[in-house]
Amino acid sequence: MTETPLLKVRNVNKRYGEGCPKCAAPDMLGEENRCAYCGSVWACRNVIFDLYEGEILGIVGESGSGKSTLVKSLYFDDSITSGTASISSYKEGTADIFSVSPQQKRYIRNYLMGMVYQNPWLGLKMSFSSGGNIAEKLIASGTYHVGTIRERASALLEHVEIPVARMDELPKNFSGGMQQRVQISKALANNPPILLLDEVTTGLDLSVQAKVLDLIRSIQRELRVAMIVVSHDLGVIRMLADRTMVMKSGKVVEQGLTDQILEDPQHEYTQLLVHSLL
């Protein structure tokens, strides 16, 4: 019996701009995704993939390939133009999460998904303490008991190796690597089955990058959280991802087991990416 995907994404399209008769459909622009007539951009074009429980799916591609747009759309930061997605643990996988009510989208964001942004200032409130950021996520899901909240915040910060003594400090006083770890702890507050990570090591020193990547791997091993990791860095993808999806100009040009993709790339664009890493 085949395993049921935790997350199923089908034919997701996202256009920025009004569009015109020359770019009315995502496949009308050929290899390019920007319309030469009206300037509209198809950031995602017929994206299809599955994510399974406990696995890490890497999404790689150059800047502007559509990978960040895709995860932001899944977290409802961006609305899509068309397409569907379902989560097996939400309404038995029968509901399209893109077309449910705003209240239901908030429920999905609070309970079923966590998001870690490239820029910690997007994922954290810098005027709240580290513990306060975690509390915000817990309160949004109906946990109001102060003792329970502080206990959970302490456990999460400890898990990401932030000293509990610094729980009441503002994350704006922390280093970039520590801010990312606070963001990860906030994203994990309600034990979501899916974690979305968008370029989380970009701009960090190499030694700090290594610590963050080790943390991500240990979370996946211990908590069996399924993750989508977006990166332009194939080194990050090689270290983390079980499977990899390669995007170019809004399209998925290749996907498969990470080892296969990196050792025997089939698409010329993937070959170019892999050779640039060597």
Side-chain angles (χ1 to χ4, degrees), residues 89 105-114 137-143 187 190-194:
S89 55
K105 285 178 179 172
R106 277 198 295 277
Y107 170 84
I108 292 166
R109 277 173 68 118
N110 281 329
Y111 287 95
L112 303 180
M113 287 188 188
K137 188 88 171 172
L138 292 168
I139 289 165
S141 63
T143 302
N190 292 313
N191 294 317
I194 300 169

Side-chain angles (χ1 to χ4, degrees), residues 167-185:
M167 183 166 78
D168 296 320
E169 278 188 54
L170 301 180
K172 69 179 180 184
N173 300 333
F174 291 174
S175 66
M178 284 180 75
Q179 287 174 352
Q180 285 300 47
R181 301 207 306 272
V182 174
Q183 241 206 124
I184 291 168
S185 66

Side-chain angles (χ1 to χ4, degrees), residues 68-242:
S68 290
T69 296
L70 179 61
V71 291
K72 285 173 183 165
S73 298
L74 285 170
Y75 200 59
F76 313 122
D77 284 343
D78 253 340
S79 58
I80 63 163
T81 304
S82 61
T84 63
S86 60
I87 299 171
S88 62
S89 55
Y90 177 70
K91 301 197 174 180
E92 298 178 337
T94 58
D96 169 27
I97 62 170
F98 293 126
S99 56
V100 298
S101 69
Q103 290 90 337
Q104 286 298 299
K105 285 178 179 172
R106 277 198 295 277
Y107 170 84
I108 292 166
R109 277 173 68 118
N110 281 329
Y111 287 95
L112 303 180
M113 287 188 188
M115 178 77 170
V116 183
Y117 297 89
Q118 175 181 346
N119 182 351
W121 289 74
L122 291 174
L124 297 173
K125 286 197 165 76
M126 294 298 175
S127 57
F128 285 20
S129 68
S130 300
N133 270 281
I134 296 167
E136 184 194 24
K137 188 88 171 172
L138 292 168
I139 289 165
S141 63
T143 302
Y144 301 114
H145 187 273
V146 174
T148 305
I149 289 170
R150 285 189 71 82
E151 196 177 305
R152 178 71 178 145
S154 298
L156 285 162
L157 290 169
E158 212 166 352
H159 195 75
V160 299
E161 296 177 7
I162 300 282
V164 175
R166 303 189 71 177
M167 183 166 78
D168 296 320
E169 278 188 54
L170 301 180
K172 69 179 180 184
N173 300 333
F174 291 174
S175 66
M178 284 180 75
Q179 287 174 352
Q180 285 300 47
R181 301 207 306 272
V182 174
Q183 241 206 124
I184 291 168
S185 66
K186 180 180 180 179
L188 291 169
N190 292 313
N191 294 317
I194 300 169
L195 199 57
L196 309 172
L197 301 112
D198 186 15
E199 300 275 15
V200 293
T201 58
T202 303
L204 300 178
D205 292 343
L206 284 176
S207 61
V208 178
Q209 273 193 35
K211 278 186 178 173
V212 172
L213 294 176
D214 280 345
L215 171 65
I216 292 165
R217 275 197 304 196
S218 70
I219 286 167
Q220 188 251 351
R221 272 197 309 270
E222 291 166 28
L223 305 179
R224 297 289 295 157
V225 181
M227 301 186 189
I228 297 176
V229 176
V230 167
S231 183
H232 65 277
D233 184 341
L234 276 174
V236 169
I237 297 299
R238 184 196 292 276
M239 185 178 281
L240 292 179
D242 303 303

Side-chain angles (χ1 to χ4, degrees), residues 246-261:
V246 183
M247 289 187 73
K248 183 180 190 297
S249 301
K251 280 184 177 176
V252 177
V253 295
E254 189 167 354
Q255 59 179 310
L257 294 172
T258 300
D259 289 352
Q260 265 179 332
I261 295 275

